[in-house]
Amino acid sequence: QLNVLLAEAGVPYDLVYEMDEVNADIEKYDAVLVIGANDTVNPSAVEDPDSELAGMPVVEVWRAKKVIVLKRSLAGGYADVENPLFFNENTNMLLGDAKCSIDDLRNKTLDVLGDQCILPN
């Protein structure tokens, strides 16, 4: 489903990585930005055999050095299961409207770094 949405948004397919490709290297990542996801990044799927999500494939973002989650609230996802990721030491929650939050982050980053890191269209 996500691949279809990305294609409709014009994201080139060669920029999209499969879950197993990302998980293989995720411990090398300095930071992971999670926007709006919940069940698909829930460590209970891997770490808790009694979880309703047990065995579900997930992006193991909690293994990165730092995780920043943009979400409206701490509410459960589709499965309505609490996500322990939100309470990990390496996770920071940025609660609110994700589009507004990411726009603010982008603008503050540009204020500090300038537009040298922006790829041309």
Side-chain angles (χ1 to χ4, degrees), residues 2-93:
L2 183 56
N3 287 351
V4 172
L5 292 173
L6 291 170
E8 288 175 357
V11 175
Y13 189 74
D14 61 330
L15 294 180
V16 179
Y17 291 89
E18 295 297 327
M19 189 179 305
D20 56 340
E21 294 174 292
V22 173
N23 283 341
D25 291 328
I26 209 155
E27 288 176 339
K28 299 175 187 174
Y29 296 1
D30 290 323
V32 173
L33 187 63
V34 176
I35 303 176
N38 197 334
D39 295 339
T40 58
V41 294
N42 191 324
S44 296
V46 174
E47 298 172 352
D48 182 359
D50 296 324
S51 170
E52 294 176 38
L53 301 176
M56 183 178 106
V58 292
V59 181
E60 298 174 10
V61 297
W62 60 91
R63 293 178 28 229
K65 292 177 183 92
K66 176 58 86 179
V67 181
I68 303 165
V69 179
L70 285 74
K71 233 171 122 358
R72 288 189 185 276
S73 72
L74 295 175
Y78 182 77
D80 199 27
V81 174
E82 183 174 80
N83 192 334
L85 170 71
F86 301 161
F87 308 99
N88 282 358
E89 272 189 45
N90 69 329
T91 300
N92 288 93
M93 299 297 296

